[in-house]
Each structure stands twice: as structure tokens, then as C-alpha cells.
Amino acid sequence: MKKYSIILVVLLTFYGSVCIAQTAIVEDFKPSTLNQPGQDYPQVNSQGYVRFRIAAPEAKSVVVSLGLGGAKGGTELSKAEDGFWKGTTAGAMDEGFHYYHVTVDGGVFNDPGALNFYGSTRWESGIEIPSHDQDFYALKEVPHGNVQQILFPSKSTNTSLRAYVYTPPSYFKDKSKSYPVLYLQHGWGEDETAWSNQGRVNLIMDNMIAEGKIKPFIIVMTYGMTNEIKYGGMASFKIDGFQTVLVDELIPYVDSNFRTIANQKNRAMAGLSMGGMETKTITLNKPEVFSHYALLSGGTYKAQDIKDKSKVKLIFLSCGSKERPDAIKSSVSELKAAGFNAVSYVSEGTGHEFQTWRRSFKELAPLLFKD
Amino acid sequence: MKKYSIILVVLLTFYGSVCIAQTAIVEDFKPSTLNQPGQDYPQVNSQGYVRFRIAAPEAKSVVVSLGLGGAKGGTELSKAEDGFWKGTTAGAMDEGFHYYHVTVDGGVFNDPGALNFYGSTRWESGIEIPSHDQDFYALKEVPHGNVQQILFPSKSTNTSLRAYVYTPPSYFKDKSKSYPVLYLQHGWGEDETAWSNQGRVNLIMDNMIAEGKIKPFIIVMTYGMTNEIKYGGMASFKIDGFQTVLVDELIPYVDSNFRTIANQKNRAMAGLSMGGMETKTITLNKPEVFSHYALLSGGTYKAQDIKDKSKVKLIFLSCGSKERPDAIKSSVSELKAAGFNAVSYVSEGTGHEFQTWRRSFKELAPLLFKD
């Protein structure tokens, strides 16, 4: 039986490869919606292929990190007669947002045509592959909330730190109303700009509020790599520095400067990837601060780690189908069996990328602050 | 006499060159304050020289647009044994903020070490040369106002447009107070991010408010190149599109969503460079909307062009000493003679760059909304 399985896998793999090779590329390429103003390249077609064009007339080699073509991965561009380096990804990219960069003669640069987004501890080029469900994060003719940059005093780091605060469209209209608050964290190498720039979380909120799908709440996003002095990876990561900034400095500032409902029941924490790890640790350390917990591609909870079940209103776990959905599902089953209000969500066809987290957020938002 | 003048100029020019060549470069280089997190280069020394280090091991040529060295201008880097391209500007740079980019084998890219700022219709690398008066735009331990991203409906462009709104620190504390509003425009090729990112106008405001030097006001910054469909330059520029967005769409939105004092007396317009040209045209077209006018390196007014003198509370004209200060000064003299409250300001030792405009803003702010 094992032998047949291997043959089947080989056949499927071969069939898959042939499929890609035989697919005709549809010549309906359009400039990416994340291009710099007036730039024609990079372009994306209706199948999700990406085509690049980069000027470097004297270069010997230009390779784009996006795509999986060639011996080295990525997309190797070829120099055309007009001096531009051109090339198309070998296959269709997953729907949604991707980071990428360009290696020119061994040096790593950004694509001059694309906008930049902070990830991998640097501003990288970004591209958007249209998705079948992109309507939920589109800019529409609906009332829009604001994204406010705040600078809050941080004694523990001896400076003012930056956070972004999403206030719903009603915030400035009905000045008597107060709101619950979600503290929402980015992943490793990203910063407080990620959830609105890459995640379009403000537009997702605006759209869901306009459709009456959620009760409005405030979202606060700040920098979560407080301890990463040298940006050297996760090995030496300790939660203390960030937990102090979040719980002892940012939350009191937000509660005294915005119309929040300043209690545990109306305060949630969520994070993606590393931000999920931070969410898990801080919610377990500080059960008196948060009542709703969400890990987006960011791990799982064990029921026995949670000291006081009565304090937890919701546990939400999600990931992309190309990650490890089984781990999410079995954790949620275990949490449910232990009596928690636990929900899992798997984003179909996506991996450890922002499309998973946009969709996860859309599933999470209606579950928050329900009573 | 003319002959002697020419000789004197030649001597001074020569002397100037020798000065630069003979100045020993002080080896106290430090990473630029505008580097990407964790990046050691570019660096700046106490004299204002900039040193670059860029990885591109297989490249044939790497030239930085900053500095005036070499036959082609800019700074030509040399490949060191470690594979990095290195070089130092031939002279000291002017104090303050500069845009730049890197040409690698004929292709234009950004320096991977530096943060990017939107100018020249693209996100460019930025560097900050410490200045003798940098304290006024430093991040300090004072109460900070917020910079809010708003998305306002624009029928004339059939979409939602973005603006940034600076609200002073007191805005969220004393909720009964209303504020005057300054509409503040960027220059050609820049956008609504320029005044806070490059100009640090929110920090200038925070600091001046903390020192009691100004009465708090709101600042609104939006995109002023509404008509520049193809980003093709100023030749075909018409004011109508932007004037409609500003006067008929943005101002009513701000007045209905923020606590403004919504009248002509408490509304100012200012702009730098192209934004000055827009300010001049719109204030002359719409004397019933604005009472305080400011052109920062953005031209001059003629007294006879202003129909109703009684509607104008202030005209402020400024530029850098390396621009055309005489034009500013003579225009202000003429305006004063005609009975206007006109003020000129010249930033010493700076040109058509943001240091001129930071300083101009600092001079302008205390003159606004005085009664």
C-alpha cells in the first residue's frame, strides 16, 4: 500500500507541474493596486501571475524574491532590448498581500515601482493579488473611521512611543458613547503600521459597521518588539518589556484619552504570528486585564493554563489552510470540552500571510464584546 | 570696478573650494536618525558629511544622488574589499532633511539602510543632518497631539480621499473647546504625509504649545495634486480640481467632524513651493474662506490682486537664504506700504528644502489667529 501511495504522490506532483506548465498565461495584466503613483509595473493578471519590469541597464543579474521559479527560487528577470529587466512569476501567487524585494547584482533593494510596507524589520515592496472575497476590505462609499497616530509617554523605555488608534465612524458624532477596545498586535519584523497598511483593518471595520454586522469598537495597535534591541530574532525574546508598555503605560493612556469602557469585560487582545505569542503570554499573565483572546497564526491555548475560566469570554484561534489547521482545531475542541467559548477559523488557500489575517479578523470582529 | 568684482568672485570661489578640500573630516560618524531600525548606514558626522555603505557585490557602479562630488554630481561610491560600496560626500550637507536615491548599474533604487519619504512623486530615501536649532522639532517629554488619518467623501473625484488632521494635546481633554484651523499644503511630488513625516509639524506644534508660545489650533493636510493625472509636471496645472476638493468637500467635512471654529476669521491656508502657488490662487479666489495666508518658498502677493483688504488678517512670506529672499522682502515691503499685516522670514543657510519650511512654520505659527 505504501508503494502505491508513493507512486500516486509522484503522479500527482508530476500532474501538478504539468498543469502549471500548460496553463496559458492570460494577457490581461494590470498595474498592481499597491504601485507607487503613476507606475505601470509590477502588474498582476486575472490568474494571479505577477509581471515585473525594472530599470537597471548595466546590471548583470536582477532577481525578484516573489514566485518559485528557477533553481534559486523567486523570479529571475531577463534583460530586454530596451534595457529593462522583465519577467513573470512561474505560477499564480496566492490571493492577497505579499512582501517582496529585488536582488540587483547581489544587493537587496526594493522595486522602485511598488509601495513599501514594514516587514522583516525593514520597509519592503508590497503587492496585492486580487482575491475572490476582496470586497470586505475594499475602500467603499461608507462612513469612515479615523486612524489616529498617538505618542504616549513610556517611562519604562524612557521615551514617547507610537501607537495607532482606530476610532469608528460614530466616535466623533455621538460624543456621549463609550466603546470597548481591542489591542491588536503585528507579527515579527512588522510594526504598528502593519494592521492598517497591509491588513486594511480600518476598512474592514468601516465596511462591517456599515453593514450592521458588528458593534463598533476601538482598535489600538502599537509596536510589539520592545525587547528586540538588535532585531536579532526571537531567541532572546522576553515578554516583560512589552507587557509593561502595553499594560502599565498604553492602556492607562488610552483609557484616559479616549472614550473607552475601561474594564476587563470590554477589553480584548489579539495578535498575528509573534503577536499571537505575545497575546497568549500576556492574557495568561494578566487575566484581570483582558476578557477576549485571539491568536491569528499565533499558536494555541491549553485549557489547564487558564487559571480562572469565568474571566474568559472568548478564545479565537485561526490560521491559513497552508499552515497547521489541525493544531488550531484540536485546541479549540479541547477548550470547548473544558467549557470555554472557543472558536476556530481556517482561511482556505492561504498561508502565513496577511490574507489569512484579514479574513481571520473579519471572522473575529463579530464575536467580540457581544454582551 | 566690474573687473575687480569678477576677480573677487573668482578668488572667493577658489578659496571656498580650497576650504572644502582642506577641511579634515572628523571621524565621529553616527547612524542617521532616519535609518531603518537596526541599520548602521548611512551615517552623518558632526560637520554634516554623510557616509554611505551599500551592499551590491556584483555591481559595476553605485552612485548616490546626495552631495556634489565627482564629475557627474552626487557621490560615487567605491567597492571595498568586503564587497560593500562605500563613500563620503565631498562636502558638508546643509542642515536638516534631504531626499536622495541610489543609482545601481543605471537603475534608480532607494538606500536599503534609510527610511523612505514621499517626494518627487515617489518614496525616496531620506536623511537628517543635525542642525544647531533642532531642538524645536525634537520629540520631547511634553503632551503630544494626535495625527489622525481621515477618509473624506469626494464627489468631484468619485472616491474617498485621505487627509491628516493634527489635533492639539488639549483636544481630547477639554471637550467644550473649539479651535481655529490651518490648511497646510505640501510641495510638488509630495503628498499629505510630507508635513508630519519630513516637516515634523506635529512635534513643532507640541513643543510650541508646551512652551506657551502659541494658541493651539488644528492643522489639516491633504493631497494637492488632484489634477496631476500622469504626474507629468506643472505645465498643465489647473487649480479647479484641488480647489473644489479643498473648499467644497474637505472643509465642510472637517467642520462637521471636528470641533472647529468654522468661520473665515479662524481659517488659514499655507503651503510650501507648489503648495504656496495653490495657497496664493485659492486665497485670492476665495477671500470669504481664509483670513491668514502663508507662502513658504511659494511666491509672493501683489497688493493690487487682493480685492478686499479688510478680509486679510495676515500675509506671511518666507524662503531660504539660498533661494530668492529679496523677492520675499520686497513683496512684504510693498504689502506693508499698502496697509497689510505682512511678515517676511528668511531661513539662514538653507535652500528649497524642508529645513526652510520647518523654520518658516515655527515663525508662522505664533502669528496665526491672534485675536
Side-chain angles (χ1 to χ4, degrees):
Chain A
M1 186 61 202
K2 200 178 173 188
K3 197 176 169 186
Y4 288 108
S5 298
I6 290 169
I7 290 169
L8 190 63
V9 167
V10 170
L11 279 171
L12 283 172
T13 307
F14 181 69
Y15 182 72
S17 303
V18 171
C19 257
I20 287 172
Q22 286 187 336
T23 302
I25 295 179
V26 179
E27 288 298 330
D28 59 356
F29 286 89
K30 289 180 190 150
S32 160
T33 54
L34 300 186
N35 281 2
Q36 298 207 32
Q39 295 294 315
D40 287 332
Y41 283 85
Q43 299 194 337
V44 187
N45 81 351
S46 56
Q47 300 161 294
Y49 286 73
V50 183
R51 182 164 290 169
F52 304 96
R53 188 183 73 163
I54 290 168
E58 307 297 322
K60 284 195 286 274
S61 153
V62 179
V63 182
V64 180
S65 65
L66 205 69
L68 295 165
K72 298 173 193 165
T75 301
E76 292 182 38
L77 307 190
S78 306
K79 193 171 162 182
E81 283 180 14
D82 58 8
F84 284 95
W85 291 78
K86 297 177 184 174
T88 305
T89 52
M93 303 299 301
D94 285 349
E95 295 183 340
F97 176 86
H98 307 280
Y99 297 106
Y100 73 101
H101 56 258
V102 181
T103 302
V104 180
D105 286 350
V108 173
F109 299 94
N110 287 327
D111 184 340
L115 290 174
N116 300 329
F117 299 83
Y118 195 73
S120 317
T121 73
R122 58 184 295 269
W123 288 89
E124 282 225 312
S125 298
I127 197 161
E128 185 74 41
I129 310 297
S131 76
H132 71 282
D133 58 349
Q134 64 191 4
D135 190 65
F136 80 85
Y137 52 87
L139 174 67
K140 296 187 197 176
E141 265 193 59
V142 297
H144 293 291
N146 296 356
V147 178
Q148 307 195 28
Q149 175 194 285
I150 63 169
L151 295 168
F152 62 98
S154 166
K155 280 193 182 169
S156 70
T157 61
N158 200 28
T159 184
S160 292
L161 297 176
R162 186 172 69 169
Y164 288 97
V165 179
Y166 170 84
T167 50
S170 55
Y171 189 85
F172 290 97
K173 294 291 183 188
D174 176 0
K175 296 193 175 73
S176 65
K177 193 169 154 49
S178 293
Y179 296 85
V181 185
L182 166 66
Y183 289 81
L184 182 61
Q185 288 304 124
H186 59 81
W188 185 89
E190 296 171 343
D191 70 7
E192 63 273 26
T193 63
W195 265 108
S196 46
N197 285 359
Q198 291 93 302
R200 302 170 72 96
V201 72
N202 53 320
L203 300 182
I204 300 174
M205 287 291 288
D206 292 345
N207 292 339
M208 294 184 87
I209 291 168
E211 291 168 22
K213 287 183 179 165
I214 57 170
K215 275 167 50 179
F217 53 87
I218 290 170
I219 304 176
V220 179
M221 301 157 277
T222 196
Y223 184 60
M225 293 174 71
T226 316
N227 315 286
E228 292 284 294
I229 308 293
K230 270 293 177 189
Y231 309 92
M234 295 287 293
S236 61
F237 195 90
K238 289 197 187 75
I239 200 67
D240 310 59
F242 176 58
Q243 183 174 292
T244 299
V245 167
L246 180 71
V247 175
D248 300 336
E249 296 171 348
L250 179 56
I251 290 177
Y253 184 89
V254 168
D255 282 338
S256 72
N257 284 277
F258 291 85
R259 297 197 314 275
T260 65
I261 308 174
N263 59 36
Q264 188 259 3
K265 201 178 147 195
N266 287 285
R267 203 179 288 122
M269 183 169 182
L272 71 88
S273 194
M274 181 197 78
M277 186 204 76
E278 293 176 334
T279 299
K280 178 179 173 177
T281 312
I282 293 175
T283 51
L284 291 176
N285 285 349
K286 299 282 178 182
E288 73 281 13
V289 177
F290 303 99
S291 54
H292 299 68
Y293 314 168
L295 315 183
L296 285 49
S297 306
T300 58
Y301 283 92
K302 283 181 186 149
Q304 69 262 31
D305 290 339
I306 299 170
K307 289 163 209 157
D308 184 351
K309 193 162 67 183
S310 71
K311 285 203 172 332
V312 185
K313 301 287 177 200
L314 173 73
I315 297 179
F316 178 92
L317 305 178
S318 76
C319 69
S321 66
K322 296 184 175 183
E323 300 189 88
R324 294 181 58 222
D326 289 349
I328 300 297
K329 287 175 187 164
S330 69
S331 173
V332 163
S333 296
E334 189 226 333
L335 289 162
K336 276 182 172 171
F340 287 95
N341 175 29
V343 176
S344 69
Y345 168 71
V346 176
S347 164
E348 277 308 315
T350 60
H352 200 72
E353 292 194 286
F354 249 104
Q355 191 70 0
T356 297
W357 306 320
R358 290 170 178 168
R359 289 176 180 164
S360 297
F361 183 85
K362 173 174 166 267
E363 300 299 317
L364 168 65
L367 307 175
L368 293 174
F369 315 119
K370 285 187 80 166
D371 53 286
Chain B
M1 186 61 200
K2 201 179 174 188
K3 197 177 171 187
Y4 287 108
S5 299
I6 290 168
I7 290 169
L8 189 63
V9 167
V10 170
L11 278 172
L12 282 171
T13 307
F14 182 69
Y15 182 70
S17 302
V18 171
C19 258
I20 288 173
Q22 285 187 336
T23 303
I25 295 179
V26 179
E27 287 297 332
D28 58 356
F29 286 89
K30 288 180 190 150
S32 159
T33 55
L34 299 185
N35 280 2
Q36 297 208 33
Q39 295 295 315
D40 288 332
Y41 284 85
Q43 299 193 337
V44 187
N45 80 352
S46 56
Q47 299 162 294
Y49 285 73
V50 182
R51 182 166 287 170
F52 304 96
R53 189 183 73 163
I54 290 168
E58 306 297 322
K60 285 195 285 275
S61 151
V62 179
V63 182
V64 180
S65 65
L66 206 68
L68 295 165
K72 298 173 193 167
T75 302
E76 292 182 38
L77 307 191
S78 306
K79 193 171 161 182
E81 284 180 14
D82 59 7
F84 285 94
W85 291 78
K86 297 177 185 173
T88 305
T89 52
M93 303 299 301
D94 285 349
E95 295 183 342
F97 175 86
H98 307 280
Y99 297 106
Y100 73 101
H101 55 259
V102 181
T103 303
V104 180
D105 286 349
V108 173
F109 298 94
N110 287 326
D111 184 340
L115 290 174
N116 299 328
F117 298 83
Y118 195 73
S120 316
T121 74
R122 58 184 294 269
W123 288 89
E124 282 224 312
S125 299
I127 197 161
E128 185 72 42
I129 310 298
S131 75
H132 71 282
D133 57 349
Q134 64 191 5
D135 189 64
F136 80 85
Y137 52 87
L139 175 66
K140 297 188 198 177
E141 264 194 60
V142 298
H144 293 291
N146 296 357
V147 179
Q148 307 194 30
Q149 175 194 284
I150 64 169
L151 296 168
F152 64 98
S154 166
K155 280 193 182 170
S156 70
T157 61
N158 199 29
T159 185
S160 293
L161 297 176
R162 186 171 70 168
Y164 288 97
V165 180
Y166 169 83
T167 49
S170 54
Y171 189 85
F172 290 97
K173 295 291 184 190
D174 177 0
K175 296 192 173 75
S176 65
K177 192 169 156 50
S178 294
Y179 296 85
V181 185
L182 166 66
Y183 290 82
L184 183 61
Q185 288 304 124
H186 59 82
W188 184 88
E190 297 172 340
D191 70 7
E192 63 273 25
T193 63
W195 265 107
S196 45
N197 284 359
Q198 290 94 301
R200 302 169 74 96
V201 71
N202 54 320
L203 300 182
I204 300 174
M205 287 293 286
D206 293 344
N207 291 338
M208 293 184 88
I209 290 168
E211 291 168 21
K213 287 183 180 164
I214 56 171
K215 276 170 44 180
F217 53 86
I218 289 170
I219 304 176
V220 179
M221 301 158 277
T222 196
Y223 184 59
M225 293 174 71
T226 316
N227 315 286
E228 292 284 295
I229 309 292
K230 271 293 176 189
Y231 309 92
M234 294 288 293
S236 61
F237 195 91
K238 291 199 184 74
I239 200 66
D240 310 61
F242 176 59
Q243 183 173 292
T244 299
V245 168
L246 179 71
V247 175
D248 300 337
E249 297 171 347
L250 179 56
I251 291 177
Y253 184 89
V254 169
D255 282 339
S256 71
N257 285 277
F258 290 85
R259 298 197 314 275
T260 64
I261 308 174
N263 60 37
Q264 187 259 5
K265 199 178 150 197
N266 287 286
R267 202 180 289 121
M269 184 170 181
L272 72 88
S273 194
M274 180 196 78
M277 186 203 76
E278 293 176 333
T279 299
K280 178 178 173 177
T281 312
I282 293 175
T283 51
L284 291 177
N285 286 349
K286 298 281 178 182
E288 72 281 13
V289 178
F290 303 99
S291 53
H292 299 67
Y293 313 167
L295 315 183
L296 285 49
S297 307
T300 59
Y301 283 92
K302 282 182 185 150
Q304 69 263 32
D305 290 339
I306 300 171
K307 289 162 209 159
D308 184 352
K309 193 163 68 182
S310 71
K311 286 205 172 329
V312 185
K313 301 286 176 199
L314 172 74
I315 296 178
F316 177 91
L317 305 178
S318 76
C319 70
S321 67
K322 296 184 175 183
E323 301 187 89
R324 294 181 58 223
D326 289 350
I328 300 297
K329 286 176 188 164
S330 69
S331 173
V332 163
S333 295
E334 190 227 333
L335 290 162
K336 276 182 170 169
F340 287 94
N341 174 29
V343 176
S344 69
Y345 168 71
V346 176
S347 164
E348 278 308 315
T350 60
H352 200 71
E353 292 193 286
F354 249 105
Q355 192 69 1
T356 297
W357 306 320
R358 291 170 177 166
R359 289 177 180 165
S360 296
F361 183 86
K362 174 174 165 267
E363 299 299 317
L364 168 65
L367 306 177
L368 293 174
F369 315 119
K370 287 187 79 168
D371 54 286

